Amino acid sequence: MMLMFPINRPRRLRQNDHLRRMVRETILTTNDLIYPLFAVPGSSVAKEVVSMPGVYQLSIDKIVDEAKEVYDLGIPAIILFGIPEEKDTEATGAWHDHGIVQQAATAVKEAIPDLVVIVDTCLCEYTSHGHCGYLEVGDLTGRVLNDPTLELLKKTAVSQANAGADIIAPSGMMDGFVQAIREGLDEAGFNHIPILSYAAKYASAYYGPFRDAADSSPQFGDRRTYQMDPGNAREALKEVDLDIAEGADMLMVKPALSYMDIIWRVKEMTDLPVAAYNVSGEYSMVKAAALKGWIDEKKVTLETLTSFKRAGADLILTYHAKDAARWLQEG
């Protein structure tokens, strides 16, 4: 039987900062953070994304400079997205040996070998229609042809691994994509490369600013035929279970803020590392409110990131990573 007041006084353990730190259950560190970067063609390019203050589209030379700063802050990993010079229905820029992400991955690994380079393995940034794979000719609904798209994803993953990527992160939510990519990597001699699967990726309104950053808005239709319905939780566990069976090494829930129940449920069902993607809309809302002076950006950001970890996330992909690392160093 629980002892009641006045014998039990929980406030005894909250009396000062040192005591609160001693009994804190969840600790956020820079080891938890992954910083997203957007690579574009050219040189000396640093174009701020209007809807994401502090986030830039960067040419490869600037990507390397940014990666060095990230590494010096103690952040262990980046994830690369690419905006190609040209787009087509074959997503050629995604799997070409000299694609923008491939070039960026090679440049970063040559400059900072110890920094973990994760690559987003998807096709929407590279297709002229903005969807994540092959479409039926004349189809304006956004129904991606699943199985033919798997072959493109295999080629893309192998090309990225050849370029020096440490982790492949497929995000297109195609059925069987983990199995296809695992087979492709293994056949090419990359059985040591892990897969971080976007296992539960929802068709979310929180992705809006990312479309500006990655220039990846669908030209017609939407992505609801392959990304998950926000109302579904059991389906997320099914998707996770399938990805584990297909060989995923790590699992991602995206978005994070409105889906902490999913993060918790996924962590409860598996011992694999779980990542949470603190997506663009979540970031932009904090930035906008902070610029208006309505919130304390530092406190809100660190509280939010800690809450993802408390929900079960082992890794957090976040545009706040550099600021968070500096704030954590300050104590």
Side-chain angles (χ1 to χ4, degrees):
M1 188 174 97
M2 181 180 292
L3 297 175
M4 304 299 288
F5 176 85
I7 297 171
N8 194 327
R9 293 178 181 264
R11 287 184 56 192
R12 291 179 184 133
L13 300 182
R14 304 175 197 155
Q15 294 182 63
N16 58 64
D17 184 57
H18 289 288
L19 186 53
R20 289 191 295 271
R21 284 164 50 201
M22 288 170 62
V23 299
R24 187 164 295 149
E25 299 172 23
T26 304
I27 309 295
L28 179 72
T29 76
T30 54
N31 293 331
D32 304 317
L33 305 176
I34 298 168
Y35 189 53
L37 289 169
F38 298 92
V40 296
S43 61
S44 301
V45 177
K47 180 183 177 183
E48 188 169 27
V49 180
V50 174
S51 57
M52 298 178 70
V55 174
Y56 295 80
Q57 295 177 336
L58 301 168
S59 53
I60 290 170
D61 55 323
K62 294 292 187 180
I63 287 274
V64 170
D65 291 342
E66 194 82 350
K68 289 177 179 176
E69 183 181 357
V70 167
Y71 182 74
D72 289 342
L73 285 168
I75 298 167
I78 60 171
I79 182 167
L80 291 172
F81 299 88
I83 300 96
E85 204 154 12
E86 296 180 357
K87 305 186 180 196
D88 55 41
T89 57
E90 298 287 321
T92 306
W95 48 266
H96 196 284
D97 288 342
H98 300 290
I100 188 67
V101 161
Q102 286 79 353
Q103 293 181 56
T106 299
V108 170
K109 290 305 293 184
E110 288 177 351
I112 318 109
D114 291 337
L115 183 67
V116 175
V117 174
I118 307 168
V119 287
D120 179 73
T121 306
C122 195
L123 307 174
C124 60
E125 295 106 310
Y126 307 93
T127 55
S128 50
H129 46 67
H131 284 284
C132 298
Y134 283 120
L135 298 182
E136 189 79 58
V137 175
D139 185 355
L140 298 181
T141 65
R143 286 194 299 268
V144 173
L145 298 175
N146 193 93
D147 295 6
T149 297
L150 298 182
E151 295 304 311
L152 286 183
L153 291 172
K154 285 172 71 172
K155 288 201 295 185
T156 300
V158 171
S159 175
Q160 292 170 335
N162 272 319
D166 296 299
I167 298 173
I168 300 298
S171 61
M173 289 299 287
M174 295 296 110
D175 294 340
F177 68 19
V178 172
Q179 179 176 312
I181 289 171
R182 184 73 273 159
E183 289 174 354
L185 291 172
D186 291 356
E187 289 167 2
F190 294 112
N191 59 5
H192 61 288
I193 298 288
I195 295 174
L196 167 56
S197 173
Y198 288 62
K201 181 179 179 181
Y202 285 84
S204 172
Y206 283 97
Y207 301 151
F210 177 91
R211 308 285 186 239
D212 297 335
D215 188 23
S216 62
S217 296
Q219 297 302 301
F220 48 81
D222 56 41
R223 297 188 175 132
R224 293 179 183 274
T225 67
Y226 43 104
Q227 294 177 0
M228 288 179 53
D229 189 302
N232 292 358
R234 293 191 302 273
E235 185 185 7
L237 304 186
K238 177 181 179 180
E239 288 279 9
V240 166
D241 212 24
L242 289 169
D243 284 4
I244 293 171
E246 291 174 19
D249 301 282
M250 296 178 281
L251 307 159
M252 190 188 301
V253 176
K254 181 181 181 182
L257 190 61
S258 291
Y259 296 85
M260 282 195 275
D261 61 318
I262 307 301
I263 297 170
W264 173 261
R265 292 176 74 165
V266 170
K267 190 59 183 177
E268 286 288 286
M269 71 174 287
T270 178
D271 292 327
L272 293 183
V274 175
Y277 201 138
N278 180 206
V279 299
S280 58
E282 299 165 1
Y283 169 87
S284 294
M285 289 191 300
V286 171
K287 280 290 185 181
L291 288 169
K292 286 286 189 179
W294 294 340
I295 60 170
D296 183 315
E297 181 180 357
K298 173 182 175 180
K299 289 181 179 178
V300 167
T301 298
L302 292 179
E303 181 179 341
T304 301
L305 297 179
T306 300
S307 72
F308 298 149
K309 191 170 181 184
R310 190 187 66 241
D314 302 290
L315 306 167
I316 303 168
L317 293 81
T318 178
Y319 306 98
H320 295 290
K322 289 197 303 178
D323 287 335
R326 294 188 186 101
W327 293 328
L328 290 170
Q329 288 173 5
E330 292 171 4

